[in-house]
Amino acid sequence: MVGTIVVGGILLLTVVAIIRGMIKDKKNGKPVLGCGGDCGNCKGCH
């Protein structure tokens, strides 16, 4: 029971950290998921 709570807490903290990072990136103008649609500044294609 205690182990389940600990693992659930770690998983919850990980998800919260990922979401906070995505929100921070979006506020800074970075694409959140995948391509941002700006091919002129793409460094991952060719």
Side-chain angles (χ1 to χ4, degrees):
M1 178 74 177
V2 174
T4 304
I5 294 172
V6 170
V7 170
I10 292 170
L11 183 62
L12 180 66
L13 289 174
T14 303
V15 171
V16 169
I18 291 169
I19 292 172
R20 288 183 71 188
M22 290 172 71
I23 291 170
K24 183 179 176 183
D25 286 347
K26 184 172 179 146
K27 285 183 180 180
N28 289 334
K30 296 180 185 175
V32 177
L33 294 173
C35 180
D38 187 7
C39 295
N41 291 323
C42 182
K43 296 180 180 103
C45 296
H46 304 283

